[in-house]
Amino acid sequence: MQLPYIIEERPDTGLNNAKLGIWVFLASEIMLFGGLFSAYVFLRMAAPVGDFAYWGSKLSIPMATVNTLVLISSSVTMIMSWVSLKMKDFEKYKMYMGLTLLCASIFLVIKYFEYTGKFHHGIYPSSSTFMGIYFTLTGLHGLHIIGGMIVMGYFWLPAGYKMWESEPEHFTNRIEVVGLYWHFVDLVWIFLFPILYLL
Amino acid sequence: MSDHDNGHIEEHIKVYLTVFGALAFLTLLTVAASYMDISTTEAIFLALSIATVKASLVAGYFMHLITEKQTIIWILTLTFIFFLFCMFIPMITVIDHASLS
Amino acid sequence: MSNDTHHKENFLWKYIFSVDHKIIGLQYGITSLLFLLFGFCLMMVMRWQLAYPETPVPIVGGLLGEPGILMPETYNMLGAMHGTIMIFLGIVPLAVGAFGNYIVPLQIGAPDMAFPKLNAASYWSYFVGGVIMVTSFFMPEGAARSGWTSYPPLSIFETGQTMWLIGMIFLITSSLLGSMNFIVTIVQLRAPGMSWFRLPFFVWAQFITAFLLVLAFPPLEAAAVLQLMDRLASTSFFLPSGLVYSGATVDVYGSGSPLLWQHLFWFLAHPEVYVLILPAMGIVGEVIANNTRKPLWGYKTLVYSLVFLGFMSFIVWAHHMFLTGMGQAMSAFFQTTTMIISIPSVAILTAFFISLWGASIRFTTPMLFALAFLPMFGIGGLTGLPLGVGASDIHLHDTYYVIGHFHYVVAPGTIFGLFAGIYYWFPKVTGRKMSEALGKLHFWPSLIFMNGIFMPMFIQGFAGVSRRLYDGGQLYAHAQDVLQWNEFMSISAFCLAAAQIPFLINFFVSLFNGEKVDRNPWGATTVEWSAPSPPIPHENFEGKIKVYRGPYEYSVPGADKDFSPQTEK
């Protein structure tokens, strides 16, 4: 039994199953982070005036700015890896996917230094509601980065990319789907960065 | 995807790199803007506007939403409406609080 | 994936980790029915306490420690877990996971769901969540006891909550994965000729339900993470400043808000109640059309009502929060949206009633349950109206009236719909029919005793008896006149339990000895009846399915039989 529309698109919707699937999943992720952003707004309003700004000032804007640029770069390398597959250039795909993984790792390393820096100064999630929501939002985002890295790592390794030999179009679609997830993770950070660090 | 064939790919690469440049610029812009001496409300509005532009670029060009099919657009529009309710209604219940007067 | 020709056929892969939607549907079905039974038993212990306060509970008294009396803390625990188990481990997995998974691909003419492995993953995630919930009973301090609503600050300090929250995260993940699968399946895998307005009403109901789950659950998942952090990491997302608990000031930062939890919780939990009812409405639609031998009246009205209902369900949630101090504007907004949302429900019910007009009704067991659904859901829905209006809600909020209202919708409402589904689709799954005689013996007492349990709750609610009271109102002067109903309701509950015995006997005996039937014993039009009984593993149908007709072409003038299947030209 072969399910239809795994690779070819269904005529009336113009989509293959995985493309629709990932967008529905991303819709649920929008609501997940939406719930947390809603919590941020509520908590900011519930806190004493200036409380969030005070605690927010303890965050390092330079580190986060670098991280923002790193993540944006990883988005570009991600789409370039997909483009390489569309152009049937497998070596370029491996290079770009590798760069994406590298950028993601750099992001996590910087995050690690951010977190440990806070702990070193005795600042924990329990230190204030701002810190609580800061660690939760960035922590959940970080978990999404790790999840993405696991999947991307799998497709970067022989076990994952052997599908390129047998079904190149299917493999290309899978990388497109992974890319959509990764861009979404970048998208969340695009909002996280100003909200947590700059406001 | 069948609506990107090799001939167009090179043009797409140019678009992606342009978007990258725009995103980098807007990132630096939003950081610079945060040092401006404006009220909190204005700062929020400015930061979110810039973030929305950046997000639109990622969503529109990297995620191909600009050429995406109706089904996806509808699902996202619906999601966005509910997202707005989830964001704003709790906030409004705090502002619009019951009182004796 | 094209590896299914090499599918491992050993027991483990064929039955335990199967990716076939039918096996997964049955897994969901068995697991959820067991949980429903367990949740029902928890309630019976509570009802014993309410009827015969502080007397030893028979049969299970030994588990409660000497002298076998239910204590207040345990009562609260049973209450919280009864709600949690019935909703998240019982009804939703049965209605969506079991019925949805089994029937939807068949009704759209597909060989399976769009993502079979994801389907299996969502079942196992549900299973793990269920195990965690049940295991929590055996923890030293027991299971959760802060209500299924888990309101802070109580839920931050009470025992048993941590496992509840972790269990919920697994259950939510299961729902998200599952609902994603349903949406893609229904959009992408409809057979040629199966246009949107030829879909059976059941499929539309599952489609809208999937949207509710996929968009409404995530904020609760976020909230559950926040509550876990409040419990484990000393954060104070939901704890206000200056909180004093058990005589001591709580040592947290404060400046959090219990209302934040309520908003995030009810943002899901309101659409959740529509998740509870929509699949049952879908089943009732199928059964009514089939047993009236005429098309459903107002198919388009039904579909548009479903869509409108689904949309509105996202913007009524704070009607659960009228008493939290919200201002006039917000209160008016939510009262208005709540009143508006009753319109599509009424439209659907009315369309079902009108469908009966001029029909040759066959009073089969599924039809009896489907018919009973109509007035029972009607009572449930109508009794919701005073709760949706702020002025009356002030008196009725958190009283037994609310319990009566929502149980009418879910118990003689949804559960009757699900029973109708079991009797109706049993022949498709097994190739045998259940006994009609035992079916009627199940139906009539169930109907009577359901009303016996829940009707008096309105009386107690009007008198002002609060919900979640260990002693059922004994200590309150305003409750004295209505206390006698407690024993009446409890006896009805025990009788309701007894009334399920014919069902259990029927179910198991019919599996082996039921009357063997051909693939379409009910003379139905929808596509699932074109498949053999049971359908072929991994393929369902013998050839390619093509759809030529609408879903309910019964008694077509000039046709040779009183039903024209969708797959027949």
Side-chain angles (χ1 to χ4, degrees), chain C residues 74-412:
Chain C
T74 316
Y75 179 90
N76 293 342
M77 187 192 303
L78 297 185
M81 294 311 284
H82 167 78
T84 305
I85 289 173
M86 292 307 237
I87 295 174
F88 296 111
L89 298 182
I91 301 280
V92 177
L94 182 59
V96 180
F99 281 106
N101 254 315
Y102 201 104
I103 302 294
V104 166
L106 289 170
Q107 282 196 333
I108 63 174
D112 205 316
M113 298 284 273
F115 306 115
K117 292 199 197 112
L118 204 66
N119 207 6
S122 58
Y123 170 73
W124 288 107
S125 189
Y126 156 62
F127 184 83
V128 169
V131 166
I132 293 175
M133 287 289 186
V134 171
T135 308
S136 68
F137 278 103
F138 299 102
M139 294 284 110
E141 286 173 339
R145 50 169 72 108
S146 308
W148 80 283
T149 48
S150 187
Y151 278 11
L154 181 69
S155 57
I156 309 296
F157 301 106
E158 257 293 10
T159 52
Q161 238 4 69
T162 304
M163 285 197 71
W164 188 92
L165 290 164
I166 296 174
M168 282 305 294
I169 291 180
F170 277 95
L171 295 175
I172 296 174
T173 304
S174 162
S175 275
L176 288 177
L177 296 177
S179 50
M180 215 191 91
N181 220 342
F182 273 96
I183 292 174
V184 178
T185 303
I186 295 172
V187 172
Q188 295 279 106
L189 298 189
R190 286 166 292 132
M194 180 60 86
S195 61
W196 284 104
F197 285 111
R198 282 182 176 169
L199 280 174
F201 185 65
F202 179 74
V203 177
W204 271 108
Q206 292 283 354
F207 186 57
I208 302 298
T209 303
F211 268 103
L212 298 185
L213 288 170
V214 91
L215 295 178
F217 249 132
L220 178 60
E221 189 153 37
V225 170
L226 294 177
Q227 198 179 105
L228 263 176
M229 289 190 66
D230 270 10
R231 284 182 68 81
L232 302 175
S234 303
T235 51
S236 53
F237 295 115
F238 304 124
L239 300 173
S241 302
L243 183 68
V244 175
Y245 190 83
S246 294
T249 309
V250 175
D251 181 24
V252 287
Y253 186 79
S255 99
S257 171
L259 281 183
L260 176 60
W261 168 266
Q262 292 195 26
H263 278 294
L264 293 175
F265 177 83
W266 287 113
F267 186 84
L268 159 85
H270 191 84
E272 178 72 12
V273 311
Y274 292 99
V275 168
L276 295 175
I277 195 68
L278 251 39
M281 277 179 170
I283 297 175
V284 167
E286 298 300 306
V287 172
I288 286 182
N290 177 251
N291 287 288
T292 52
R293 315 310 289 169
K294 57 199 277 287
L296 280 181
W297 186 91
Y299 174 85
K300 284 221 165 117
T301 304
L302 285 167
V303 171
Y304 290 133
S305 300
L306 266 182
V307 174
F308 186 58
L309 185 70
F311 181 83
M312 291 302 294
S313 73
F314 280 93
I315 54 179
V316 299
W317 81 86
H319 65 221
H320 299 271
M321 297 169 63
F322 279 140
L323 269 59
T324 58
M326 65 171 68
Q328 286 278 63
M330 275 291 106
S331 179
F333 172 76
F334 281 108
Q335 288 180 64
T336 311
T337 53
T338 305
M339 288 298 116
I340 292 174
I341 204 176
S342 65
I343 299 173
S345 308
V346 171
I348 292 173
L349 211 61
T350 309
F352 284 160
F353 271 118
I354 299 179
S355 300
L356 303 175
W357 183 264
S360 316
I361 298 183
R362 302 187 311 195
F363 290 97
T364 58
T365 306
M367 187 58 165
L368 288 174
F369 278 104
L371 286 174
F373 172 91
L374 300 178
M376 296 294 101
F377 174 74
I379 293 174
L382 287 171
T383 53
L385 292 173
L387 295 172
V389 176
S392 40
D393 188 55
I394 290 178
H395 303 280
L396 298 173
H397 177 70
D398 266 353
T399 64
Y400 261 84
Y401 183 92
V402 179
I403 305 187
H405 155 70
F406 68 68
H407 276 96
Y408 257 99
V409 199
V410 178

Side-chain angles (χ1 to χ4, degrees), chain A residues 123-155:
Chain A
I123 298 176
Y124 298 97
S126 53
S127 302
S128 70
T129 47
F130 173 83
M131 280 301 162
I133 199 78
Y134 160 76
F135 276 107
T136 310
L137 266 168
T138 55
L140 192 65
H141 179 258
L143 283 176
H144 279 81
I145 298 250
I146 293 173
M149 283 178 75
I150 293 173
V151 176
M152 293 190 303
Y154 172 73
F155 285 126

Side-chain angles (χ1 to χ4, degrees), chain B residues 7-40:
Chain B
H8 291 125
I9 280 288
E10 274 84 26
E11 290 169 28
H12 282 283
I13 296 177
K14 277 214 246 5
V15 171
Y16 299 145
L17 293 174
T18 314
V19 170
F20 176 44
L23 288 170
F25 169 72
L26 287 167
T27 304
L28 298 170
L29 182 69
T30 198
V31 174
S34 71
Y35 291 104
M36 279 163 55
D37 189 19
I38 51 178
S39 75
T40 312

Side-chain angles (χ1 to χ4, degrees), chain A residues 50-65:
Chain A
D51 193 57
F52 265 45
Y54 165 73
W55 285 98
S57 67
K58 295 184 185 294
L59 298 178
S60 162
I61 296 180
M63 281 174 100
T65 309

